[in-house]
Amino acid sequence: MELVLREVTYLSVIVRLACALVIGGIIGLERGMKNRPAGMRTYMLVCVGACLIMLTNQYLFQVSNSGDPMRLGAQVVSGIGFLGAGTIIVTKHNQIKGLTTAAGLWAAAGVGLALGVGFYEAALVAGFLIFTVLTLLQRWDNRMRSKTRSLEVYLEFSEETNLGNLVRQIREMNVEIDHIQLEHDLASDENVRAIIATLKSAKRAEHGPLLKKLRALEGVVYLEEL
């Protein structure tokens, strides 16, 4: 039975494609629930497509007994980058979004390739690990990010407010400014100016209280963490 599932047979084709559909759907479920650019159906298609390509590759090698059995799979690994790049966007505040989704698509293609060649054990373990990274580890990652010493903020302040005085007020809060960039095109109103600044606090702490203090500074109209 195991040998049958390793070779390209009607049964192995059905089993591999079904596994790719299920595992791809499980991985994409978390992305879909968060309304990411690539959701459950996209992950399913990527995983099943990669599996089908690898099945075709193995079938051609099995039938002709010649050629490179990994050629089509190698094209998937490089070609999936075009799809992943389409999920990466840069917001108007210079935030980069979609990297995790792109990495997930690339990993899902890898699972599909493993299933397509009949490497079920690696595909199941990898699928579980990918799902774990996208779900369970996100909370830990968010908690770690919320307590870093450095944070990047987008800040709007009234036109009559002197930028030098604003910087001085921030430094009086025991916060250093590593980098500051004026953003003339991002301001929401003609009477305000906008900056993107990288701040560094004296010690690791929750960002919430610091952001609240920054919003309370004289002249600050709007502030958000990037």
Side-chain angles (χ1 to χ4, degrees):
M1 182 65 177
E2 182 180 354
L3 181 62
V4 172
L5 291 178
R6 301 292 181 183
E7 299 293 331
V8 179
T9 62
Y10 288 120
L11 178 60
S12 68
V13 168
I14 294 172
V15 171
R16 294 180 195 183
L17 289 175
C19 287
L21 186 72
V22 172
I23 296 176
I26 292 173
I27 295 173
L29 181 63
E30 185 271 344
R31 297 282 92 187
M33 291 175 64
K34 293 183 178 177
N35 198 27
R36 293 298 190 264
M40 184 174 66
R41 291 186 301 168
T42 304
Y43 275 82
M44 282 180 168
L45 291 173
V46 167
C47 200
V48 169
C51 179
L52 176 61
I53 290 172
M54 206 60 187
L55 270 168
T56 304
N57 203 67
Q58 186 183 2
Y59 173 77
L60 291 173
F61 182 74
Q62 188 173 308
V63 171
S64 63
N65 199 27
S66 63
D68 184 359
M70 298 303 295
R71 180 177 298 173
L72 292 179
Q75 298 303 313
V76 172
V77 173
S78 58
I80 195 66
F82 290 98
L83 182 60
T87 69
I88 301 173
I89 60 173
V90 180
T91 68
K92 66 177 183 178
H93 294 163
N94 292 330
Q95 286 179 285
I96 298 176
K97 293 183 176 293
L99 284 174
T100 302
T101 300
L105 285 172
W106 183 78
V111 172
L113 290 174
L115 285 170
V117 79
F119 197 7
Y120 301 98
E121 298 86 352
L124 291 172
V125 172
F128 172 76
L129 292 176
I130 295 167
F131 182 76
T132 301
V133 169
L134 291 176
T135 54
L136 301 181
L137 292 186
Q138 185 184 18
R139 296 179 182 177
W140 176 79
D141 185 48
N142 290 339
R143 189 179 300 113
M144 183 178 65
R145 287 173 180 269
S146 68
K147 292 184 178 181
T148 57
R149 289 181 58 197
S150 297
L151 70 155
E152 192 171 21
V153 297
Y154 170 77
L155 186 151
E156 291 184 356
F157 57 98
S158 58
E159 195 173 31
E160 57 268 15
T161 301
N162 184 276
L163 180 58
N165 290 335
L166 183 60
V167 170
R168 178 180 53 78
Q169 291 182 72
I170 294 175
R171 285 177 174 166
E172 287 176 352
M173 298 168 57
N174 204 21
V175 175
E176 291 297 323
I177 301 178
D178 275 359
H179 175 75
I180 189 168
Q181 177 181 336
L182 283 170
E183 297 290 342
H184 301 287
D185 300 329
L186 297 183
S188 58
D189 192 273
E190 294 180 356
N191 299 320
V192 300
R193 290 188 288 174
I195 61 171
I196 292 178
T198 302
L199 309 179
K200 181 176 287 186
S201 58
K203 58 183 180 179
R204 290 168 58 91
E206 290 284 352
H207 293 172
L210 176 59
L211 294 173
K212 187 176 181 180
K213 291 179 181 178
L214 290 170
R215 292 189 180 100
L217 290 177
E218 183 180 354
V220 174
V221 176
Y222 175 79
L223 181 139
E224 70 169 311
E225 182 179 4
L226 299 180

